[in-house]
Amino acid sequence: MMAEGMLDYLIPLAILILSPFIGGLLIGIDRKVTARIQNRAGPPIVQPFYDVLKLFGKEDKVVNKTYLVFGCAYLFTVILSLALLLFKYDLLITTFIFGLSFIFLVLAGYSTRSQFGYMGATRELMQMLTYEPILLFAVFLIRLVTGSFETDAIFKASEPLLFTLPLALLAIFVILPIKARKSPFDISEAHQEIAQGPETEYSGKYLGLLYIAHFFELIFVLWFVSLFYVKGFWLLPGWAMQALLMAAAYVFLIVVDNLTARLRVDQMLKQVFIVGMALLALNLIYIIATGRWIA
Amino acid sequence: MDGSLLLLSMTIVPALFGIICYLAPGYEVKKYVVILGAIVLTVASLLVLSGGSQLITVESIDLVGLSIPISPIILVLDYLLLLTFLWYGWKDKEYKAVLLAILQLIPLTYLELFMPKAAHAGAATFVIDQLAIVMGLIVSIIGSLILIYSIGYMRGDKHASSFFLAMMVFLGDMNALVFANDLAWMFFFWEVTTLCSFLLIRHYRDEASIKASDRALWMNLLGGVSLICGIVLIEHVYGTTFLSEIASGAGQSLLPAGAIALPFAFLAFGAFTKSALMPFNSWLTGAMVAPTPVSALLHSSTMVNAGVYLLIRLAPFIIGSYVSTMIAVIGGFSFMFCALLALSQTDSKRILAYSTISYLGLIAMCTGINTGLALTAAVALLAFHAVSKGLLFLCVGKVQHDIGARDIESMEGLVARMPLVAYIMVVGLISLMAPPFGVFVGKWLAFQSVSTFTSISLSLVDIFFIIFGSIFSVFYYSRWAGKLLATKPFTEIKPEHHEWYMELPLIVLGLGVFVTVALTTLFFSSLISLPPVYGLEPSKLVTGWSIQSAIGGFSPLGFLIAFLIIILVPVVAIKVPKTAITHTYACGTGEEPELGGGYFQDIIGEGVSLKYLDPVGVLLMIALFAAAVI
């Protein structure tokens, strides 16, 4: 009993500590796969770590102190929200704290007073305007079928969320590329047109910190997706199902990234809202019709 | 201290100080009178807080052995007030106001002189319960800070005397309004707020001010007509005008049984006009022509709060009725669309005005959802919003005073020019959008209460409103905060011009933002208590180190500490050597970029949106009354 209680804390802690490494590896795999699809050799899988390490040895070139503070705040908030998610804190609060990390990134972008930072921050806000409603509606639907905003309720629910909220999961898949900053929604960091968006002015170790934040972010998003199947299935235990779901989401991300070209902001708004909201609405009708919601 | 003495020092004494200030010669003397008045008001409100709930019956005033009953005095003042409105309406050729003032006279005369009334034995005329204490604190403390701020702001103004008189009468009257138990008395205090705001809006007496004040006048008089009609109906249906007796009262009802909620629909309509919810938003945005302390007073501590305060008071009587549902929809509608309108504005005061209406809409929505959780959210939002919004208005006023502009485009890089004010302003902006600050706590509770319903119906509409409204508000606040922080490298930081009368209130309110978050759990456990109608529901909200409801919980204090660590650690740890500073990347062009835009004015600007929103708002008002009679 005691050991189990300890494990409840140790496992999330271990995942939290490992997540930048896993995140970095996933990005390395992504680059390799993408390169193979484009018939290139591609960098080694551990290249993201080399990049970060190299950045930490570089000389700093900064514009002002404000955006550096917000950049670090962005990193800390992402780590905080991932920790909240892993330790099964209230899901609604976790989502809002994750949103706060983007507010920090936007403020960082604005406070450089650079043309690229400004454009990037505005676009980042538009992205937030696009994905946040979908995410919050999804959280609301999760609350409807589990009866609570507590993450624990998902684990205690009688059937996995995938059976009750399949379309909501699809809607989250639609916004995945936004959160992972991948094509077709890599709008805020469109490096061919606006350099690196809100991150343009970062260099040296501060850019390295942002990279690490992105690693954490990727794990957060994937873990969120994995909440949709946390029960054992046939011979597989619950954690294996979670890992499978995360893998599926990641493969989806890579495939979509390579298949599509970047969209404009207004196209993103329209397409994601129409598709995402329709999916969520259909799912809502489904759970109401089948009486699977808990008041 | 004696209860009635405290009551006196929160209601009449500020007005007396106002009169002394009006008569006092010279600005220096006035200054000290104002400071003294602010101190008395603050101390009295804190004493009321420590005194806890109490009932006070003041039927008459004893003057040197002579006992004068108050009701007739109030009636006479009521008539004088309406005559004043008539006169102003006639003078400004604003005939709508004249008509509405006459329309108020008729039900008022009927109510006071011709209506048979049941005897009220033992009903207290003033009830200081916990809601009233919270309101009193908002009015008195934030109001006092605004008064002190105005000393700096109004220096050298021609009409400063009448300005301070109106401000202080306003504060005292607002306190009286929240303490009053008799709706007939409350109507008088309600109309005094209309008069005070009318006089304050036309402070500069130029064409724009007079036009704006006339509009505010007729819209508020319209609400007054609705309010007095509602009071007459309440007297009819329940046989009493005392708020504390409505729940148990039953008179001879002239209305059909189904229309039992009709009086409350009238009262709610009055509340909507006072809180400037759509479609009455234009008077509050028009009122931006007034001096900034006036805007701060109207938006944070008085006037608009009166409307939602009344809605909170009424909520227990209309649980489960269609009127309640309509209030939730109207509130949600205002919340989302005013946030959208704020997004299209560049004028900082207009952004704040729209965001005020938006948050008042959220509060109204919570009262309409009408569960224990939702009502808690409403009171919490009201208190936290007052602190943050008061702070932001005062900051904008200070900026306008110093740099002569209030456009957010011209506030770019303000941290370099006015660091103190700019940083406090950023705190204020973040406190309105980000966790873990007070407004967020309110939003979180609202989100929870929208998700707590027993039948899926209009709640889905409300959750739509709340999600989009929140995200729009994040959009415009972070854009504004970003503007303030955007500094160019190599800019010299000039010494700031300090005016301590204006800056002290800013610092106090800026700290207040943090203090209110830290005290959130205390506030929830000891200051918000709900009427027994809500049954056991309030007890579902468990407060300790964290706020825990049946479906979720979080710890404001814990997150406040986390937030401070997240910001302060980088502030301390990051050192920027002078040699590392460089120009921004300009893609090799080396040109200074022109930054700006992103307001989407041709898609969602006032001209485009209000064309559709105003008719919808009017339809919603009609639906409110329709909901009452079906």
Side-chain angles (χ1 to χ4, degrees):
Chain A
M1 223 23 224
M2 187 62 204
E4 242 172 60
M6 288 288 284
L7 277 184
D8 276 351
Y9 289 97
L10 283 180
I11 293 176
L13 193 66
I15 299 173
L16 184 64
I17 292 167
L18 284 177
S19 53
F21 301 102
I22 305 170
L25 276 182
L26 285 176
I27 288 173
I29 294 170
D30 175 19
R31 286 173 68 174
K32 190 84 184 172
V33 171
T34 305
R36 298 306 303 158
I37 292 172
Q38 296 165 350
N39 224 351
R40 291 185 283 119
I45 286 175
V46 285
Q47 185 64 37
F49 300 115
Y50 293 155
D51 290 351
V52 171
L53 284 177
K54 185 189 73 178
L55 284 172
F56 274 89
K58 291 251 179 191
E59 183 195 352
D60 287 331
K61 279 287 173 205
V62 298
V63 176
N64 58 34
K65 188 173 166 179
T66 321
Y67 79 111
L68 299 181
V69 170
F70 281 120
C72 293
Y74 165 60
L75 169 68
F76 292 156
T77 321
V78 171
I79 297 175
L80 176 66
S81 52
L82 179 60
L84 292 176
L85 190 66
L86 291 173
F87 286 102
K88 298 183 188 171
Y89 205 76
D90 185 299
L91 196 60
L92 185 60
I93 296 292
T94 310
T95 318
F96 278 128
I97 297 282
F98 191 56
L100 176 64
S101 70
F102 282 86
I103 296 178
F104 283 139
L105 187 61
V106 168
L107 289 180
Y110 276 126
S111 52
T112 56
R113 208 201 172 277
S114 118
Q115 49 198 339
F116 300 114
Y118 183 88
M119 280 304 293
T122 309
R123 289 183 179 193
E124 192 79 46
L125 272 178
M126 291 305 282
Q127 289 190 350
M128 195 159 166
L129 192 66
T130 318
Y131 76 72
E132 197 83 7
I134 308 270
L135 203 60
L136 285 174
F137 271 114
V139 170
F140 172 68
L141 288 184
I142 291 176
R143 177 252 167 273
L144 266 192
V145 294
T146 62
S148 169
F149 282 120
E150 306 277 359
T151 316
D152 228 17
I154 298 173
F155 287 84
K156 287 178 184 150
S158 54
E159 50 185 345
L161 292 180
L162 188 60
F163 296 164
T164 44
L165 300 174
L167 297 176
L169 181 63
L170 269 186
I172 291 181
F173 269 52
V174 172
I175 58 167
L176 268 187
I178 304 181
K179 306 216 75 164
R181 296 191 175 72
K182 286 191 171 295
S183 185
F185 303 135
D186 54 339
I187 290 167
S188 73
E189 292 187 358
H191 55 91
Q192 296 94 335
E193 40 176 319
I194 54 165
Q196 275 287 313
E199 294 160 23
T200 305
E201 303 299 333
Y202 286 90
S203 64
K205 54 178 175 286
Y206 299 108
L207 187 58
L209 290 177
L210 281 195
Y211 275 16
I212 296 173
H214 288 336
F215 298 165
F216 276 107
E217 221 174 4
L218 186 61
I219 299 294
F220 178 94
V221 176
L222 293 178
W223 193 267
F224 194 93
V225 169
S226 81
L227 287 178
F228 277 75
Y229 210 122
V230 292
K231 285 229 176 315
F233 176 71
W234 198 41
L235 288 177
L236 297 170
W239 60 266
M241 289 309 296
Q242 271 186 286
L244 270 180
L245 207 51
M246 287 164 84
Y250 198 63
V251 170
F252 171 83
L253 260 183
I254 297 178
V255 171
V256 169
D257 185 30
N258 282 297
L259 284 183
T260 53
R262 184 183 311 127
L263 292 177
R264 283 199 316 267
V265 175
D266 56 333
Q267 289 169 327
M268 170 185 73
L269 255 179
K270 255 182 233 151
Q271 295 186 5
V272 175
F273 270 172
I274 293 171
V275 176
M277 289 295 166
L279 287 170
L280 288 164
L282 284 175
N283 208 150
L284 182 71
I285 293 167
Y286 167 70
I287 55 173
I288 293 173
T290 54
R292 288 172 192 234
W293 56 281
I294 303 166
Chain B
M1 208 159 140
D2 183 28
S4 41
L5 200 60
L6 278 182
L7 190 74
L8 210 64
S9 50
M10 282 182 79
T11 53
I12 309 284
V13 172
L16 288 179
F17 272 107
I19 295 168
I20 297 169
C21 179
Y22 184 78
L23 300 173
Y27 201 79
E28 286 302 302
V29 185
K30 286 184 203 301
K31 189 170 88 182
Y32 291 109
V33 177
V34 171
I35 294 173
L36 198 62
I39 292 171
V40 168
L41 195 56
T42 309
V43 171
S45 71
L46 289 173
L47 286 173
V48 167
L49 172 68
S50 68
S53 309
Q54 49 190 320
L55 307 175
I56 298 167
T57 307
V58 189
E59 300 265 332
S60 55
I61 305 172
D62 290 317
L63 274 180
V64 280
L66 224 86
S67 170
I68 314 162
I70 298 182
S71 279
I73 300 180
I74 286 193
L75 186 62
V76 171
L77 289 175
D78 247 335
Y79 281 115
L80 283 178
L81 199 59
L82 289 179
L83 287 178
T84 318
F85 291 143
L86 274 177
W87 185 72
Y88 271 115
W90 193 258
K91 200 181 80 162
D92 291 350
K93 297 195 172 56
E94 181 66 55
Y95 297 114
K96 274 184 286 230
V98 174
L99 179 70
L100 289 166
I102 294 169
L103 277 180
Q104 281 194 14
L105 272 173
I106 301 164
L108 180 72
T109 312
Y110 175 67
L111 175 74
E112 295 286 354
L113 302 180
F114 299 104
M115 200 156 178
K117 280 191 192 166
H120 297 290
T125 48
F126 291 98
V127 172
I128 304 182
D129 60 355
Q130 283 166 331
L131 175 60
I133 291 176
V134 173
M135 291 297 297
L137 286 175
I138 294 173
V139 173
S140 307
I141 295 181
I142 299 177
S144 298
L145 289 170
I146 295 171
L147 274 180
I148 290 174
Y149 176 92
S150 334
I151 295 173
Y153 194 92
M154 300 308 287
R155 196 183 294 278
D157 192 282
K158 271 190 301 200
H159 307 294
S161 317
S162 55
F163 170 84
F164 283 117
L165 176 64
M167 291 279 273
M168 291 170 95
V169 170
F170 206 158
L171 288 176
D173 172 73
M174 192 64 197
N175 275 328
L177 192 155
V178 299
F179 293 147
N181 188 26
D182 186 345
L183 281 172
W185 291 20
M186 201 182 106
F187 172 74
F188 168 70
F189 300 131
W190 184 274
E191 288 306 47
V192 173
T193 64
T194 302
L195 177 68
C196 288
S197 67
F198 170 75
L199 291 175
L200 287 171
I201 292 169
R202 64 193 284 136
H203 175 81
Y204 288 129
R205 294 179 180 57
D206 52 9
E207 201 179 335
S209 313
I210 288 178
K211 205 161 152 260
S213 67
D214 282 337
R215 175 183 294 169
L217 182 64
W218 79 256
M219 281 199 178
N220 276 300
L221 285 177
L222 180 65
V225 172
S226 179
L227 190 72
I228 189 76
C229 290
I231 294 170
V232 169
L233 282 173
I234 290 232
E235 174 75 44
H236 254 303
V237 180
Y238 296 96
T240 178
T241 54
F242 285 78
L243 276 168
S244 57
E245 288 180 345
I246 291 179
S248 58
Q252 70 291 19
S253 176
L254 297 181
L255 299 169
I260 210 80
L262 187 63
F264 299 110
F266 274 105
L267 297 184
F269 183 88
F272 290 148
T273 57
K274 187 113 307 194
S275 284
L277 296 189
M278 281 188 163
F280 307 109
N281 53 334
S282 59
W283 80 256
L284 194 61
T285 47
M288 292 298 113
V289 293
T292 307
V294 173
S295 310
L297 196 76
L298 294 186
H299 284 259
S300 66
S301 74
T302 57
M303 199 66 179
V304 294
N305 285 351
V308 286
Y309 160 78
L310 183 64
L311 287 178
I312 294 173
R313 276 271 186 253
L314 298 181
F317 306 125
I318 50 172
I319 292 178
S321 68
Y322 288 117
V323 172
S324 189
T325 315
M326 274 317 296
I327 292 174
V329 171
I330 292 168
F333 177 78
S334 291
F335 177 50
M336 178 174 145
F337 284 103
C338 282
L340 189 69
L341 282 167
L343 209 153
S344 72
Q345 301 296 312
T346 58
D347 180 341
S348 57
K349 274 179 91 174
R350 288 187 86 83
I351 293 179
L352 289 179
Y354 274 119
S355 98
T356 301
I357 305 170
S358 159
Y359 281 113
L360 290 170
L362 184 59
I363 298 169
M365 178 172 140
C366 288
T367 64
I369 294 164
N370 218 340
T371 59
L373 203 59
L375 222 52
T376 312
V379 181
L381 272 170
L382 186 58
F384 295 133
H385 174 258
V387 178
S388 298
K389 200 44 74 65
L391 174 64
L392 281 177
F393 263 111
L394 296 187
C395 285
V396 166
K398 171 84 174 116
V399 171
Q400 194 185 2
H401 207 261
D402 284 14
I403 69 172
R406 58 183 209 205
D407 201 87
I408 62 170
E409 292 281 338
S410 57
M411 287 186 196
E412 191 179 87
L414 202 70
V415 276
R417 281 175 284 174
M418 304 166 69
L420 179 75
V421 178
Y423 281 121
I424 292 178
M425 205 151 153
V426 171
V427 168
L429 290 171
I430 288 181
S431 78
L432 276 169
M433 60 175 176
F437 292 100
V439 173
F440 169 78
V441 178
K443 264 191 214 167
W444 170 72
L445 278 173
F447 198 101
Q448 279 210 334
S449 47
V450 177
S451 327
T452 314
F453 48 82
T454 44
S455 66
I456 294 184
S457 56
L458 284 164
S459 291
L460 283 175
V461 179
D462 281 335
I463 202 141
F464 181 82
F465 286 143
I466 203 171
I467 286 177
F468 278 95
S470 311
I471 293 187
F472 292 147
S473 65
V474 166
F475 199 113
Y476 59 83
Y477 283 132
S478 47
R479 183 178 56 198
W480 184 356
K483 281 271 176 220
L484 293 174
L485 294 168
T487 46
K488 290 174 214 160
F490 308 110
T491 36
E492 286 293 312
I493 294 177
K494 285 183 213 130
E496 198 171 357
H497 168 71
H498 287 293
E499 161 79 86
W500 289 110
Y501 283 113
M502 291 166 81
E503 278 166 8
L504 191 71
L506 292 188
I507 295 167
V508 173
L509 280 174
L511 292 175
V513 166
F514 294 98
V515 173
T516 47
V517 184
L519 295 180
T520 306
T521 47
L522 192 71
F523 171 67
F524 276 106
S525 58
S526 66
L527 270 182
I528 298 181
S529 78
L530 301 173
V533 206
Y534 292 97
L536 288 173
E537 217 171 353
S539 63
K540 278 188 194 160
L541 195 71
V542 181
T543 52
W545 284 108
S546 66
I547 307 171
Q548 184 73 39
S549 79
I551 56 168
F554 94 120
S555 155
L557 187 60
F559 278 95
L560 179 67
I561 293 167
F563 182 88
L564 288 177
I565 291 172
I566 282 171
I567 290 289
L568 290 181
V569 167
V571 168
V572 175
I574 294 177
K575 296 272 182 291
V576 178
K578 277 263 183 293
T579 51
I581 292 179
T582 173
H583 285 289
T584 53
Y585 173 66
C587 207
T589 58
E591 279 174 18
E592 181 68 15
E594 273 292 319
L595 299 180
Y599 297 94
F600 316 104
Q601 245 152 354
D602 39 349
I603 315 173
I604 52 165
E606 278 176 331
V608 188
S609 310
L610 284 177
K611 210 161 50 187
Y612 303 103
L613 294 177
D614 279 340
V616 176
V618 173
L619 283 180
L620 282 174
M621 289 299 144
I622 296 168
L624 173 75
F625 286 100
V629 289
I630 53 167

